[in-house]
Amino acid sequence: MTTELTQEGTARELATDRGVLRYHEAGDGPPLLLLHGSGPGVTGWRNYRGVLADFAEHYRCLVLEFPGFGVSDPCDGHPMAMAKFAVKDFLDGLGLSDVAIVGNSMGGIVATQFAIAEPERVNKLVTIGGAGRSVFAPSPGEGIRLLMEFTDDPTREKLVRWLRSMVFDPAIVTEELIEERWALATEPKTLEIARRMYSTEAFAAGARAAAASNDTPYWAQLGKIKIPTLLTWGRDDRVSPVDMAMLPMRELPRGELHVFPNCGHWTMIEAREAWLATVLAFLKRDDA
């Protein structure tokens, strides 16, 4: 990383009909949209601050903060559903019609759904875990179950247990990380919105609704994504186990998979250098 970027110096706002979307912007070049994951105290800045400067040397980086996670204006509906609206509102508001997208976990699912719905607006797609469907591993994964336990009854101990499930190396879960996550995760409005998604009751209701729905799930439409797609995964991911990549690898016409050893769910943090090299090579490659 050769350029010092700060949270305050990169912060931007975009007014939309559904509220103010906040984001971080850095760099020049082709637009690269970075979408964060879910979980207590998550933000786009925290997901990508360690790699933003590296991407900004080549791209106009836009790190969107999804509604419902304590940075952009709160949402009224389910955070996942509102995230899909937010991506469209954001790109429309900035006048962007053709972007590459990097999505972490939930952000990868949202990016995949957007690429299916509006294929002409996405030229390359990178996911970090999450996007797929369990084939062999139990579902939900260990990390999701710990997240549900925290959401039902938020304690510092449960937050730490969830954070440690996100990584291969527990040393990454520092006191500083714990404190910054705890502060936002327990903010009343953010916690209330999180319970719409990850409380035991909400999770069960979502599963029942999915079972009763006649809508085709996104993972059964992956063949519609014709653009080059790179799946990146931690071999030791306990949130979205790596066998979830099997279905996308079969269905994505131009899909590729890179698995990083000794790495959990936060591939861009725990395998930073290798992940950056892999993703930058993919994004810069001419696939025309």
Side-chain angles (χ1 to χ4, degrees), residues 201-221:
E201 180 181 352
F203 202 89
R208 290 192 299 271
S213 175
N214 291 320
D215 294 339
T216 305
Y218 84 91
W219 50 262
Q221 303 181 64

Side-chain angles (χ1 to χ4, degrees), residues 17 63 92 105 109 120 122 126 190 209 211 214 221 229 255 274-275:
D17 290 342
V63 183
D92 288 349
S105 194
I109 296 173
E120 71 285 352
V122 186
V126 178
T190 304
N214 291 320
Q221 303 181 64
T229 301
W275 183 84

Side-chain angles (χ1 to χ4, degrees), residues 1-6 49-58 272-273 276 280:
M1 185 167 62
T2 58
T3 305
E4 182 69 26
L5 298 176
T6 66
R49 60 188 170 189
V51 296
L52 182 58
D54 301 86
F55 282 126
E57 293 179 6
H58 310 276
R272 180 187 179 279
E273 297 300 330
L276 264 174
L280 281 171

Side-chain angles (χ1 to χ4, degrees), residues 130-136 217-223 231 233 241-253 255-257:
R133 181 169 174 80
S134 292
V135 177
F136 298 118
Y218 84 91
W219 50 262
Q221 303 181 64
L222 293 173
L231 310 169
W233 230 285
V242 73
D243 71 276
M244 287 180 66
M246 295 181 67
L247 179 63
M249 278 303 302
R250 171 58 64 186
E251 296 299 321
L252 290 165
E256 306 173 28
L257 171 65

Side-chain angles (χ1 to χ4, degrees), residues 42-264:
V42 71
T43 67
W45 174 258
R46 289 170 186 163
N47 265 188
Y48 295 111
R49 60 188 170 189
V51 296
L52 182 58
D54 301 86
F55 282 126
E57 293 179 6
H58 310 276
Y59 300 96
R60 179 191 177 191
C61 298
L62 302 161
V63 183
L64 175 61
E65 300 287 359
F66 285 135
F69 293 88
V71 181
S72 287
D73 282 359
C75 59
D76 293 327
H78 191 285
M80 179 75 83
M82 298 309 297
K84 291 184 288 185
F85 290 123
V87 170
K88 187 177 188 309
D89 290 346
F90 184 66
L91 295 181
D92 288 349
L94 293 182
L96 295 174
S97 59
D98 186 32
V99 300
I101 305 182
V102 175
N104 172 44
S105 194
M106 185 192 92
I109 296 173
V110 172
T112 300
Q113 293 171 325
F114 187 75
I116 292 169
E118 303 207 29
E120 71 285 352
R121 302 189 73 171
V122 186
N123 57 63
K124 282 193 175 182
L125 174 63
V126 178
T127 65
I128 308 166
R133 181 169 174 80
S134 292
V135 177
F136 298 118
S139 181
E142 176 191 357
I144 298 298
R145 293 196 302 271
L146 291 172
L147 175 54
M148 292 163 65
E149 289 179 11
F150 171 83
T151 307
D152 286 342
D153 178 27
T155 68
R156 195 176 186 278
E157 179 184 5
K158 290 179 180 178
L159 177 68
V160 172
R161 288 179 62 201
W162 172 75
L163 287 171
R164 287 178 176 164
S165 77
M166 302 291 284
V167 296
F168 175 81
D169 180 4
I172 291 173
V173 182
T174 62
E175 286 300 316
E176 180 182 6
L177 174 62
I178 294 167
E179 289 305 320
E180 69 176 9
R181 284 296 186 106
W182 174 254
L184 185 56
T186 53
E187 189 276 323
K189 184 63 176 177
T190 304
L191 182 60
E192 184 269 322
I193 294 173
R195 284 176 171 150
R196 300 177 196 169
M197 187 173 188
Y198 283 122
S199 68
T200 300
E201 180 181 352
F203 202 89
R208 290 192 299 271
S213 175
N214 291 320
D215 294 339
T216 305
Y218 84 91
W219 50 262
Q221 303 181 64
L222 293 173
K224 296 180 180 179
I225 300 178
K226 310 300 185 183
I227 57 173
T229 301
L230 174 64
L231 310 169
T232 65
W233 230 285
R235 183 194 64 194
D236 308 285
D237 191 333
R238 294 151 61 192
V239 177
S240 50
V242 73
D243 71 276
M244 287 180 66
M246 295 181 67
L247 179 63
M249 278 303 302
R250 171 58 64 186
E251 296 299 321
L252 290 165
R254 303 174 73 181
E256 306 173 28
L257 171 65
H258 196 112
V259 179
F260 298 87
N262 304 321
C263 181

